[in-house]
Amino acid sequence: MVAELVRGQNHPLSRNRIEIRISADVPVVAGATLADESGRVRGADRVAHPGAPRLPGLEVSRQAAAGHRIAVDLDALPEAVHRLGVLIALPATPGGPPRFGAVPAPRASVTGLDGTEIAAYTLVGLDAESAVVVLEVYRRQGAWKVRAVGQGYADGLTALLTDHGVPQAAELAREIEEAVAQGMTRSIPVPSADADRSRHTAASVAGPDLPGAASVAGPDLPGAASVTGPDLSDGAGGSSYDSQASGAAEAATSSAGGAIDYTHPGRRRAPRLAAPVASVPADGPAPPVAGDAVGWSLEERLYNQVWGMFEDLARATAAYRSAVDFAESRLERELDQALSDPRSRLGSVGDAAREAARARQEELVGQARAVLDRDVAQLTAESEVVEPALPPAYARWDNPVWHGYRVPLQPPMAVRLGDLHLPESPALRIPLLVRLPLERGLWIDSGSHDGSGADTGELRHLAVETAVVLAARLLAVHPAGEFAVQVIDPAGSGTSALAPLTGTGALTAPPARGAAGVADTLGRLTERVDLVQMAVRGGVPDALPPGLDTSRQLLIVHDFPHGFDDRAVNQLRYLADEGPDAGVHLLLVADREEATAYGPLLDPLWRSLMRLTPAPDDHLADPWVGHAWTYEPCLVPVGSQVLPQVLTQVATARTKRM
């Protein structure tokens, strides 16, 4: 069964030789981009278009047409390629449509060489766009997936190519337009047989409402495809093809306008990064492997793998929610139809129609839930493998890695701030990893949160405890003497919660108390930022005053704005804006409601900080599909002595270094 995709949804590819077919009611330009693991297209020679239609493992049409067949051999792509983007654009022809919103929605399908459809995507919802990234074929855990993208650009090919990092995008866009203009006479209409077959396929999947089917069916995902990290380097060995497949390849490529060279001379296959070469068994996915992602070190591979899990869970949940929405709208439409017909409004006929509509809705939701449960099960299996392998900077406090803790010799690339989860899969927690050094300050919101179940006093204490745990982690993952923590506690209300820092000697100085302590601490840190900025701007970053502590500083501010006057508030804002570049980072523990007297003066401060909560709260937005993720801090288990043990080692190492 063909998988009808919705925007953001993905589907595994079981074949490495495929065709991508584009069907439109008007002539369009088709092309493809070859990008690295970061999604950037490094040069114009990585773009296949009518003026340069052939790249290794890829060939596009040489003209604008209403129908396109793009031949792809994934095994023959260069090893540096991790993403293949398929794009279409409206040619700039007199009398032609200026935007996709003025024409029927184009359709893209991924097929085998025998014409069997694997996945399809109808580009609904387009308006002012004249160029669109339709699909993305990307490598994940040694296997390939296809994702429905549907990202449009009102400014055409130039904006699309610029967004993908193509150098001299405007010149390349003009070259493509010139090639299209020369070949417009060769444009052909969509073959009627293909159009009829496409419509028949769509109807068999979803009935009259094609977009709904895409949402309900979802991708028929095998586990390995949905449990991996970011796009990976090439892994599994290439596939073998029999004579029938070779014949189909010749037939398909000849219809695309010329033979494609499927050989890959001199190509050296690379093993998987964290496991020996192994093909996925026919009866299921390969078992998950910790560190099975792209990266130079195991730490970097684990980081990329964790964020790959985040993306996979986001997309799987988006597909499920879209399916549920479609099932609900279909139920409402069918109930409205039943009520609008007097013959079926009352009596047994009406009851049967309503029951049938509800049964169909429950069946569709059940199918979508089964797909989501399968994906979540695979991600859970991967999480159970990845979590024990995480280094201290990424690990929970109950991870055994902390019992063998030693002060590191170099800082990590990222640190764990907590866990994220979605309501559809509350037991699956994805680590929230943030790159170091911190580019933004942190704000622990000690105000009341809906559903937290804690009173104000408990939340305040929990907020300080969360700040202490984060500070302890930052101290523990940096080399001795390269990271220091200072505390402002004007009223001394956080004494008990701050005990792990003060009792172990992890602080460089006792917490600052009262207005005088606030002014002194902020004055010293502000002066440090000024000196560092002047040295950097003067081109002499090493020309700092003798005795100036050059280690990175974390300032914990508790009970803000108590003890702060207007000057102190301005200094705090200055540290939040300029401090990170000068090695001064802010960790604010505050209730925003208590600072309302300052009005809009503090709005830039709150916006500049990353808001975290001491209790679970769904306030972190997903930039990809718009989910509201629930954040939960990583606290030390009750009764555990791991925190004082780690901080004692940190303090001892710092003392020896002095």
Side-chain angles (χ1 to χ4, degrees):
M1 178 183 293
V2 59
E4 291 284 346
L5 305 180
V6 296
R7 184 176 182 179
Q9 198 171 10
N10 57 24
H11 187 76
L13 294 177
S14 57
R15 312 180 187 189
N16 284 359
R17 290 182 179 178
I18 58 175
E19 276 191 352
I20 299 175
R21 302 184 179 185
I22 306 293
S23 301
D25 279 18
V26 296
V28 297
V29 181
T33 59
L34 301 180
D36 58 18
E37 64 272 13
S38 65
R40 294 186 61 84
V41 181
R42 297 299 178 180
D45 59 344
R46 291 298 180 94
V47 181
H49 57 85
R54 184 176 296 178
L55 294 178
L58 171 67
E59 185 171 296
V60 302
S61 301
R62 300 173 182 268
Q63 60 203 28
H68 291 271
R69 292 186 176 185
I70 301 174
V72 180
D73 182 357
L74 298 175
D75 278 338
L77 293 177
E79 292 184 359
V81 172
H82 293 262
R83 302 184 185 186
L84 186 154
V86 178
L87 60 94
I88 60 173
L90 292 170
T93 55
R99 56 189 181 90
F100 278 107
V103 299
R107 186 173 188 270
S109 60
V110 181
T111 73
L113 298 181
D114 57 358
T116 303
E117 283 194 328
I118 303 169
Y121 172 44
T122 302
L123 283 83
V124 296
L126 297 179
D127 187 8
E129 299 88 346
S130 59
V132 184
V133 179
V134 184
L135 299 171
E136 182 183 67
V137 179
Y138 61 105
R139 184 155 38 199
R140 185 67 60 83
Q141 199 179 4
W144 290 91
K145 285 183 178 183
V146 60
R147 174 166 53 235
V149 180
Q151 176 65 52
Y153 297 84
D155 294 331
L157 277 174
T158 300
L160 186 153
L161 296 172
T162 300
D163 193 38
H164 284 72
V166 180
Q168 300 179 335
E171 289 80 358
L172 179 59
R174 284 195 296 269
E175 179 183 343
I176 295 174
E177 290 290 350
E178 292 173 0
V180 170
Q182 295 175 3
M184 282 299 293
T185 57
R186 298 193 299 271
S187 297
I188 58 173
V190 178
S192 59
D194 281 356
D196 292 340
R197 181 185 54 76
S198 299
R199 286 192 292 270
H200 174 73
T201 303
S204 66
V205 174
D209 200 335
L210 179 59
S215 300
V216 174
D220 190 10
L221 296 174
S226 63
V227 298
T228 57
D231 299 90
L232 304 180
S233 60
D234 195 5
S239 302
S240 60
Y241 291 84
D242 55 19
S243 58
Q244 293 180 347
S246 300
E250 295 175 0
T253 54
S254 63
S255 65
I260 182 172
D261 184 7
Y262 282 114
T263 63
H264 27 94
R267 183 165 185 263
R268 180 178 58 85
R269 304 202 56 85
R272 286 172 59 176
L273 291 170
V277 175
S279 59
V280 177
D283 58 347
V289 178
D292 197 0
V294 67
W296 292 101
S297 64
L298 178 59
E299 178 191 15
E300 185 178 1
R301 296 200 296 269
L302 287 169
Y303 173 86
N304 290 332
Q305 186 173 13
V306 166
W307 277 112
M309 293 164 60
F310 173 88
E311 292 182 12
D312 281 335
L313 180 58
R315 295 188 183 104
T317 305
Y320 169 74
R321 292 181 179 180
S322 179
V324 172
D325 290 343
F326 166 73
E328 293 292 341
S329 64
R330 178 172 175 174
L331 174 62
E332 293 178 2
R333 185 174 64 250
E334 292 181 348
L335 291 178
D336 290 341
Q337 291 174 353
L339 292 175
S340 64
D341 188 351
R343 295 171 299 177
S344 60
R345 185 177 304 167
L346 301 174
S348 59
V349 176
D351 293 339
R354 287 187 286 272
E355 290 178 3
R358 293 190 179 92
R360 284 191 290 271
Q361 183 259 349
E362 293 176 357
E363 180 182 5
L364 293 175
V365 173
Q367 292 174 355
R369 185 71 215 193
V371 173
L372 176 63
D373 289 343
R374 181 175 56 197
D375 293 342
V376 170
Q378 293 296 333
L379 284 168
T380 301
E382 184 174 17
S383 177
E384 292 174 351
V385 172
V386 171
E387 277 286 356
L390 295 178
Y394 303 172
R396 287 195 294 252
W397 288 103
D398 58 357
N399 193 310
V401 71
W402 286 107
H403 296 292
Y405 169 78
R406 294 293 182 270
V407 178
L409 298 178
Q410 59 184 11
M413 65 179 294
V415 69
R416 185 175 190 160
L417 297 184
D419 291 334
L420 300 173
H421 67 271
L422 291 171
E424 288 83 358
S425 51
L428 177 57
R429 307 299 174 94
I430 306 295
L432 173 58
L433 303 182
V434 176
R435 294 295 292 263
L436 292 178
L438 296 174
E439 297 180 356
R440 301 172 59 190
L442 304 176
W443 165 33
I444 310 298
D445 188 355
S446 59
S448 59
H449 312 290
D450 295 337
S452 62
D455 60 28
T456 303
E458 291 176 345
L459 279 175
R460 289 179 181 274
H461 181 82
L462 193 58
V464 185
E465 183 180 349
T466 302
V468 169
V469 169
L470 288 175
R473 183 182 291 269
L474 288 167
L475 278 170
V477 301
H478 282 84
E482 293 189 11
F483 196 89
V485 176
Q486 301 186 45
V487 177
I488 291 178
D489 186 18
S493 57
T495 301
S496 61
L498 293 168
L501 294 174
T502 57
T504 58
L507 299 180
T508 56
R513 302 287 172 82
V518 172
D520 178 65
T521 302
L522 292 178
R524 285 186 288 103
L525 290 177
T526 301
E527 181 183 12
R528 170 204 164 99
V529 173
D530 289 338
L531 291 172
V532 172
Q533 286 186 340
M534 286 189 294
V536 172
R537 291 170 183 169
V540 284
D542 296 330
L544 295 171
L548 181 69
D549 186 2
T550 57
S551 63
R552 290 191 172 272
Q553 303 287 320
L554 176 69
L555 175 62
I556 301 177
V557 179
H558 177 234
D559 209 13
F560 177 80
H562 182 78
F564 280 71
D565 55 17
D566 291 345
R567 185 170 187 272
V569 169
N570 287 329
Q571 288 177 321
L572 190 68
R573 288 182 53 188
Y574 176 73
L575 291 178
D577 293 336
E578 306 294 337
D581 290 337
V584 176
H585 308 280
L586 188 61
L587 179 51
L588 186 66
V589 182
D591 180 358
R592 187 171 182 174
E593 295 298 324
E594 296 182 353
T596 53
Y598 288 94
L601 176 66
L602 290 181
D603 287 349
L605 173 65
W606 305 118
R607 288 195 298 266
S608 67
L609 302 176
M610 181 179 182
R611 177 176 175 258
L612 304 175
T613 54
D617 187 69
D618 58 347
H619 68 280
L620 291 180
D622 184 340
W624 287 281
V625 291
H627 295 324
W629 290 76
T630 297
Y631 166 82
E632 188 170 352
C634 284
L635 300 178
V636 179
V638 177
S640 174
Q641 296 300 312
V642 65
L643 195 62
Q645 292 172 1
V646 169
L647 290 176
T648 298
Q649 288 194 47
V650 170
T652 302
R654 187 186 71 235
T655 302
K656 292 180 178 179
R657 187 176 181 273
M658 295 175 60

